Amino acid sequence: GSLASNGAVSNTTTWDSRVETAGNNANAAIGAGYVNGTVIDTSSVKSTVATSGKNADAGIAGGHIHGNAANTFARNSTVITKGEGANAAIAGGTLASGTIDNTTSIHSQVTTAGAGAHAAVGAGSVLTGCAVTDTTAIDSLIDTAGSGANGGIGGGAVKGAVISTLAENSTVSTVGDGGNAGIGAGSLASNGAVSNTTTWDSR
């Protein structure tokens, strides 16, 4: 659901589960769809988070995050959004303020379909002043379809900082005019920064 100011969610685990919303600005996640606090230690195994609607963000830890998410793990899981500006990621679809740290994706997939719908393992959209650190993708896929829909492992569209990203046997794919792809960041704004990026057998 929604995590109120200074609230906290911790130690959430799903197995073979599904969280789904339909509607504009209807965010979804395993931890909390809308986060205004802290989400830590979130694990997803064989689970799916899906949204359908404009600006309906999705993630495993949080859909739309104002705060902090740490220690997010996904194995054989999927995050899917369908809608303009509906960002998706393993940790957080949109990181509007705060930090995301220590995110791991194994045999998992993040997919968006819509203009400006960014996707990543760390955060689909990383806004100014935010930071995504220590992101790992193994045998994972980031896939966007839509104009200006950027994809990355650390961050899709980055205006903040992405630090320490590792991709092994993983793929970032974008289809659409202006849809950029990368490992650290798909698209990096002039005020953004990416550092310590490592790839192994990835594309």
Side-chain angles (χ1 to χ4, degrees):
S2 178
L3 181 61
S5 178
N6 299 320
V9 173
S10 62
N11 299 317
T12 305
T13 302
T14 64
W15 180 279
D16 197 20
S17 299
R18 185 176 182 91
V19 179
E20 186 170 7
T21 65
N24 296 338
N25 300 298
N27 307 303
I30 301 297
Y34 184 90
V35 176
N36 195 4
T38 300
V39 178
I40 58 174
D41 298 327
T42 309
S43 296
S44 169
V45 180
K46 296 183 179 179
S47 296
T48 298
V49 178
T51 69
S52 178
K54 184 177 181 180
N55 298 325
D57 298 329
I60 299 298
H64 193 96
I65 298 175
H66 290 270
N68 304 295
N71 307 332
T72 305
F73 176 82
R75 182 188 295 273
N76 297 324
S77 294
T78 303
V79 180
I80 306 170
T81 67
K82 297 179 180 179
E84 179 182 350
N87 302 312
I90 295 299
T94 295
L95 180 60
S97 63
T99 62
I100 288 175
D101 180 58
N102 193 26
T103 306
T104 301
S105 171
I106 301 175
H107 293 290
S108 294
Q109 179 173 339
V110 180
T111 301
T112 66
H118 310 303
V121 171
S125 177
V126 183
L127 299 188
T128 302
C130 299
V132 175
T133 61
D134 296 321
T135 306
T136 301
I138 300 172
D139 297 318
S140 294
L141 172 65
I142 305 301
D143 185 34
T144 72
S147 61
N150 302 300
I153 299 297
V158 177
K159 296 180 179 179
V162 172
I163 304 165
S164 299
T165 304
L166 170 66
E168 180 178 331
N169 195 33
S170 294
T171 299
V172 180
S173 174
T174 65
V175 177
D177 293 342
N180 303 296
I183 299 299
S187 174
L188 182 64
S190 60
N191 59 333
V194 173
S195 61
N196 298 325
T197 305
T198 302
T199 65
W200 180 273
D201 197 23
S202 298
R203 57 182 296 174

